[in-house]
Amino acid sequence: MEQEKDQDKLIEACSRNDRRAQEVLYRSYYRSMISICLWYTKSQEDAVEVLNNGFLRVFKNIHRFDPARATLYTWIRKLVVNSCLDFVKAKASFEEHQELNEAMDVPAPIFDTVKTAELLSMVRALPRATAAVFNLYVIEGYSHKEIGQLLSISEGTSKWHLSEARKNLKTKLINEYRKIS
Protein backbone atom coordinates (compact mmCIF):
# COMPACT_ATOMS: atom_id res chain seq x y z
CA MET A 1 0.00 0.00 0.00
CA GLU A 2 2.81 2.37 0.93
CA GLN A 3 4.59 1.55 -2.33
CA GLU A 4 1.46 2.48 -4.32
CA LYS A 5 1.27 5.84 -2.52
CA ASP A 6 4.94 6.48 -3.29
CA GLN A 7 4.36 5.59 -6.94
CA ASP A 8 1.32 7.89 -7.08
CA LYS A 9 3.37 10.74 -5.60
CA LEU A 10 6.17 10.09 -8.09
CA ILE A 11 3.74 10.10 -11.03
CA GLU A 12 2.09 13.28 -9.77
CA ALA A 13 5.48 14.99 -9.40
CA CYS A 14 6.52 13.86 -12.89
CA SER A 15 3.29 15.26 -14.33
CA ARG A 16 4.26 18.63 -12.79
CA ASN A 17 7.60 18.37 -14.65
CA ASP A 18 9.53 17.92 -11.42
CA ARG A 19 12.99 17.10 -12.77
CA ARG A 20 14.08 15.21 -9.65
CA ALA A 21 11.02 12.98 -9.81
CA GLN A 22 11.62 12.40 -13.52
CA GLU A 23 15.19 11.39 -12.75
CA VAL A 24 14.01 8.94 -10.07
CA LEU A 25 11.55 7.38 -12.52
CA TYR A 26 14.18 7.22 -15.27
CA ARG A 27 16.75 5.59 -13.00
CA SER A 28 14.17 3.15 -11.64
CA TYR A 29 13.37 1.77 -15.09
CA TYR A 30 16.65 2.39 -16.89
CA ARG A 31 18.07 -1.16 -16.75
CA SER A 32 14.95 -2.97 -17.90
CA MET A 33 14.15 -0.47 -20.64
CA ILE A 34 17.70 -0.18 -22.03
CA SER A 35 17.67 -3.98 -22.38
CA ILE A 36 14.64 -3.70 -24.63
CA CYS A 37 16.23 -0.92 -26.68
CA LEU A 38 19.41 -2.95 -27.19
CA TRP A 39 17.40 -5.65 -28.97
CA TYR A 40 16.20 -3.15 -31.56
CA THR A 41 19.35 -1.13 -32.20
CA LYS A 42 22.83 -1.83 -33.49
CA SER A 43 24.78 0.20 -30.95
CA GLN A 44 24.72 1.33 -27.35
CA GLU A 45 24.50 4.95 -28.53
CA ASP A 46 21.40 4.21 -30.62
CA ALA A 47 19.86 2.31 -27.71
CA VAL A 48 20.37 5.27 -25.36
CA GLU A 49 18.90 7.62 -27.97
CA VAL A 50 15.84 5.42 -28.39
CA LEU A 51 15.50 5.04 -24.61
CA ASN A 52 15.66 8.79 -24.10
CA ASN A 53 13.05 9.34 -26.81
CA GLY A 54 10.89 6.76 -25.09
CA PHE A 55 11.21 8.49 -21.74
CA LEU A 56 10.45 11.82 -23.35
CA ARG A 57 7.13 10.24 -24.39
CA VAL A 58 6.67 8.92 -20.87
CA PHE A 59 7.17 12.36 -19.33
CA LYS A 60 4.94 14.10 -21.89
CA ASN A 61 2.14 11.59 -21.34
CA ILE A 62 2.52 10.64 -17.68
CA HIS A 63 -0.75 12.41 -16.91
CA ARG A 64 -2.47 9.79 -19.10
CA PHE A 65 -1.17 6.82 -17.12
CA ASP A 66 -4.09 4.80 -15.75
CA PRO A 67 -3.17 2.22 -13.09
CA ALA A 68 -6.50 0.49 -13.68
CA ARG A 69 -5.41 -0.41 -17.23
CA ALA A 70 -1.75 -1.36 -16.76
CA THR A 71 1.13 -1.34 -14.35
CA LEU A 72 3.56 1.53 -14.63
CA TYR A 73 6.21 -0.88 -15.92
CA THR A 74 3.91 -2.18 -18.66
CA TRP A 75 2.87 1.33 -19.66
CA ILE A 76 6.47 2.58 -19.84
CA ARG A 77 7.53 -0.55 -21.73
CA LYS A 78 4.85 0.02 -24.36
CA LEU A 79 6.04 3.59 -24.95
CA VAL A 80 9.68 2.49 -25.13
CA VAL A 81 8.88 -0.33 -27.58
CA ASN A 82 6.98 2.17 -29.72
CA SER A 83 10.03 4.42 -29.62
CA CYS A 84 12.13 1.47 -30.79
CA LEU A 85 9.73 0.81 -33.65
CA ASP A 86 9.83 4.45 -34.71
CA PHE A 87 13.61 4.24 -34.74
CA VAL A 88 13.50 1.13 -36.91
CA LYS A 89 11.02 2.72 -39.30
CA ALA A 90 13.21 5.82 -39.65
CA LYS A 91 16.39 3.83 -40.28
CA ALA A 92 15.18 0.98 -42.44
CA SER A 93 13.41 0.44 -45.72
CA PHE A 94 10.63 -2.06 -45.70
CA GLU A 95 10.38 -2.62 -49.42
CA GLU A 96 11.46 -5.80 -49.74
CA HIS A 97 4.76 -17.09 -28.77
CA GLN A 98 7.51 -19.42 -28.95
CA GLU A 99 10.69 -20.20 -27.11
CA LEU A 100 13.71 -18.45 -28.54
CA ASN A 101 15.55 -21.63 -29.54
CA GLU A 102 12.39 -23.06 -31.16
CA ALA A 103 11.81 -19.82 -33.03
CA MET A 104 15.32 -19.96 -34.44
CA ASP A 105 15.04 -23.68 -35.29
CA VAL A 106 18.47 -24.53 -33.86
CA PRO A 107 19.29 -27.76 -32.00
CA ALA A 108 19.39 -27.20 -28.23
CA PRO A 109 23.08 -28.18 -27.76
CA ILE A 110 24.11 -25.47 -30.20
CA PHE A 111 21.80 -22.88 -28.69
CA ASP A 112 22.94 -23.71 -25.15
CA THR A 113 26.58 -22.90 -25.95
CA VAL A 114 25.89 -19.31 -27.02
CA LYS A 115 25.96 -16.56 -24.44
CA THR A 116 23.19 -13.97 -24.35
CA ALA A 117 25.61 -11.20 -25.33
CA GLU A 118 26.70 -13.18 -28.40
CA LEU A 119 23.09 -13.78 -29.41
CA LEU A 120 22.30 -10.11 -28.92
CA SER A 121 25.25 -9.24 -31.14
CA MET A 122 24.00 -11.65 -33.81
CA VAL A 123 20.51 -10.13 -33.73
CA ARG A 124 21.99 -6.63 -33.92
CA ALA A 125 23.93 -7.64 -37.03
CA LEU A 126 20.69 -8.44 -38.87
CA PRO A 127 19.25 -5.79 -41.19
CA ARG A 128 17.15 -3.41 -39.08
CA ALA A 129 13.77 -4.45 -40.47
CA THR A 130 14.60 -8.14 -40.10
CA ALA A 131 15.81 -7.64 -36.53
CA ALA A 132 12.71 -5.64 -35.67
CA VAL A 133 10.37 -8.36 -36.95
CA PHE A 134 12.40 -11.04 -35.14
CA ASN A 135 12.26 -9.09 -31.87
CA LEU A 136 8.57 -8.33 -32.16
CA TYR A 137 7.66 -11.91 -32.98
CA VAL A 138 10.04 -13.88 -30.76
CA ILE A 139 10.72 -11.54 -27.86
CA GLU A 140 7.54 -9.46 -27.66
CA GLY A 141 5.12 -12.15 -28.86
CA TYR A 142 3.33 -10.15 -31.56
CA SER A 143 1.57 -11.92 -34.43
CA HIS A 144 2.56 -11.28 -38.04
CA LYS A 145 -0.67 -9.33 -38.52
CA GLU A 146 0.17 -7.08 -35.56
CA ILE A 147 3.76 -6.66 -36.75
CA GLY A 148 2.51 -5.71 -40.19
CA GLN A 149 0.31 -3.01 -38.67
CA LEU A 150 3.05 -1.72 -36.37
CA LEU A 151 5.69 -1.53 -39.12
CA SER A 152 3.38 -0.69 -42.03
CA ILE A 153 4.30 -3.85 -43.92
CA SER A 154 2.27 -6.83 -45.10
CA GLU A 155 1.91 -10.03 -43.09
CA GLY A 156 3.83 -11.80 -45.84
CA THR A 157 6.71 -9.37 -45.56
CA SER A 158 6.75 -9.90 -41.80
CA LYS A 159 6.90 -13.67 -42.31
CA TRP A 160 9.70 -13.25 -44.85
CA HIS A 161 11.75 -11.13 -42.44
CA LEU A 162 11.27 -13.71 -39.68
CA SER A 163 12.34 -16.49 -42.02
CA GLU A 164 15.42 -14.52 -43.04
CA ALA A 165 16.28 -13.83 -39.40
CA ARG A 166 15.95 -17.51 -38.53
CA LYS A 167 18.13 -18.60 -41.46
CA ASN A 168 20.76 -15.99 -40.73
CA LEU A 169 20.88 -16.67 -36.99
CA LYS A 170 20.86 -20.43 -37.46
CA THR A 171 23.86 -20.18 -39.78
CA LYS A 172 25.70 -17.93 -37.33
CA LEU A 173 24.90 -20.17 -34.37
CA ILE A 174 26.06 -23.30 -36.18
CA ASN A 175 29.29 -21.57 -37.24
CA GLU A 176 29.86 -20.38 -33.68
CA TYR A 177 29.25 -23.89 -32.35
CA ARG A 178 31.77 -25.33 -34.81
CA LYS A 179 34.40 -22.86 -33.59
CA ILE A 180 34.12 -24.03 -30.00
CA SER A 181 33.61 -27.74 -30.68
Side-chain angles (χ1 to χ4, degrees):
M1 192 68 125
E2 189 66 33
Q3 192 175 14
E4 288 178 21
K5 288 180 184 178
D6 290 344
Q7 180 178 300
D8 291 343
K9 287 179 184 178
L10 182 62
I11 292 168
E12 183 181 325
C14 286
S15 66
R16 290 191 317 266
N17 290 322
D18 180 321
R19 298 292 179 220
R20 287 189 179 149
Q22 289 174 337
E23 181 181 359
V24 168
L25 186 67
Y26 182 89
R27 288 179 186 266
S28 297
Y29 290 92
Y30 177 85
R31 289 185 101 164
S32 56
M33 295 303 137
I34 195 70
S35 296
I36 293 167
C37 294
L38 286 167
W39 280 101
Y40 288 91
T41 59
K42 293 190 179 283
S43 70
Q44 182 77 24
E45 295 79 23
D46 286 344
V48 170
E49 176 186 338
V50 170
L51 177 70
N52 288 338
N53 288 336
F55 267 99
L56 183 59
R57 288 178 181 183
V58 167
F59 297 137
K60 282 184 177 181
N61 295 293
I62 193 84
H63 63 281
R64 293 183 179 168
F65 170 68
D66 181 0
R69 296 186 70 203
T71 64
L72 185 58
Y73 171 85
T74 303
W75 186 76
I76 291 172
R77 179 185 171 111
K78 181 177 180 180
L79 293 176
V80 169
V81 167
N82 286 338
S83 181
C84 292
L85 296 177
D86 288 346
F87 175 81
V88 169
K89 285 179 188 178
K91 298 287 183 181
S93 168
F94 294 102
E95 301 281 324
E96 320 234 346
H97 295 294
Q98 299 174 352
E99 291 295 319
L100 191 54
N101 58 340
E102 288 176 16
M104 291 173 31
D105 191 31
V106 175
I110 294 174
F111 191 79
D112 292 342
T113 62
V114 177
K115 294 180 179 143
T116 304
E118 293 169 332
L119 180 58
L120 177 58
S121 178
M122 290 176 190
V123 172
R124 283 176 150 179
L126 294 170
R128 276 193 168 83
T130 302
V133 169
F134 179 82
N135 289 330
L136 286 168
Y137 187 84
V138 175
I139 307 300
E140 302 295 332
Y142 286 93
S143 69
H144 287 294
K145 183 177 182 176
E146 293 169 320
I147 294 168
Q149 291 169 343
L150 286 168
L151 299 178
S152 303
I153 60 176
S154 71
E155 279 184 65
T157 301
S158 176
K159 289 176 182 178
W160 179 86
H161 279 294
L162 180 62
S163 175
E164 287 299 301
R166 285 177 170 165
K167 282 191 258 182
N168 189 309
L169 292 171
K170 184 176 182 178
T171 300
K172 288 180 180 185
L173 286 169
I174 290 169
N175 289 340
E176 190 65 30
Y177 181 74
R178 286 181 181 149
K179 286 181 193 175
I180 58 176
S181 294

